[in-house]
Amino acid sequence: MNIKLFASAAVSALMIAGSATAASLSFSGDTDTAILPGGPTGFSAGDLGATGLSVGDTITTVGKDIGVGGLSVDADNVTFEVTYLGSEAGHLNEAVELAMGDTLFINKGPDAASIGDTATFKGGLAGFVAFLFRDLTDGGEFVQNGETGASATGLRIGFSEISSDGKSVVALFADGLGDGDFDDLAIRISIVPLPAGGLLLLTALGGIGVMRRKKS
């Protein structure tokens, strides 16, 4: 095998890995803001303590009557880890990733998620992160990140502040009914880092060393 060619391929792999690990989240398009409400029908901080949010916090919101906007990622083929953080809802709701159309979590029934459960999915091109929240009790109405969708007026997605490293955010579902409490299903969406560049470099250099010994 050509050692120079192998080394060039290793460097290219490192450059690709470096650009992927630099992926970050942001908000784009049409968004609004809301304050997590208190009171008997407000945000249930007790049930959703894992979100780290509390009554009075400001969140970024998207929904049908706001426009096309939401959570975006600035790189292609990013793998996301999603963590279930809780739910306080009378309705049966689910979070769905759209790459494969798979349900990530559901909040009620025998298959209901437990706080801390995780799932992963891989995004496609850079742009809006492909997921939605759906109210299965109310005829399957949904609100999709980055789209106006077919959601009923009142359905919303709310987002916490994005983490300081740009890699993680909490997404909240408000399933309508006029309460606007954003506690009907909560998940954390995080970018999964690729293996460290240093580890890849050591692997590549080790392979070159082995080939040199075989050649000598």
Side-chain angles (χ1 to χ4, degrees):
M1 180 181 290
N2 188 310
I3 294 176
K4 289 184 178 179
L5 185 60
F6 184 90
S8 175
V11 170
S12 298
L14 287 174
M15 292 175 65
I16 294 170
S19 64
T21 55
S24 61
L25 300 169
S26 63
F27 299 122
S28 61
D30 296 324
T31 62
D32 205 343
T33 59
I35 303 296
L36 291 178
T41 60
F43 183 74
S44 182
D47 292 334
L48 284 92
T51 63
L53 299 170
S54 57
V55 171
D57 286 349
T58 300
I59 58 173
T60 298
T61 63
V62 296
K64 181 179 180 182
D65 53 355
I66 295 175
V68 178
L71 181 69
S72 294
V73 65
D74 61 1
D76 299 340
N77 302 316
V78 173
T79 299
F80 298 96
E81 180 179 78
V82 186
T83 306
Y84 180 74
L85 301 179
S87 171
E88 200 286 312
H91 282 194
L92 175 64
N93 299 317
E94 64 177 353
V96 179
E97 60 87 9
L98 299 176
M100 300 296 293
D102 292 332
T103 294
L104 297 169
F105 303 112
I106 194 165
N107 69 326
K108 292 181 181 293
D111 297 321
S114 299
I115 292 175
D117 285 353
T118 61
T120 60
F121 73 94
K122 191 168 186 177
L125 298 178
F128 292 117
V129 180
F131 79 97
L132 61 77
F133 288 115
R134 178 181 286 121
D135 182 345
L136 296 170
T137 298
D138 195 15
E141 292 285 353
F142 67 90
V143 57
Q144 179 175 329
N145 180 59
E147 299 289 342
T148 53
S151 63
T153 299
L155 271 67
R156 293 279 192 279
I157 302 175
F159 296 100
S160 70
E161 183 178 355
I162 296 171
S163 62
S164 59
D165 63 1
K167 307 297 185 186
S168 180
V169 69
V170 174
L172 308 165
F173 181 39
D175 65 10
L177 304 181
D179 54 16
D181 51 14
F182 291 96
D183 63 3
D184 298 310
L185 203 160
I187 58 176
R188 182 179 301 281
I189 300 172
S190 303
I191 293 173
V192 176
L194 292 176
L199 179 59
L200 291 176
L201 179 59
L202 288 175
T203 302
L205 292 177
I208 292 172
V210 168
M211 286 190 295
R212 280 178 174 167
R213 286 195 297 272
K214 287 184 177 179
K215 185 176 180 181
S216 59

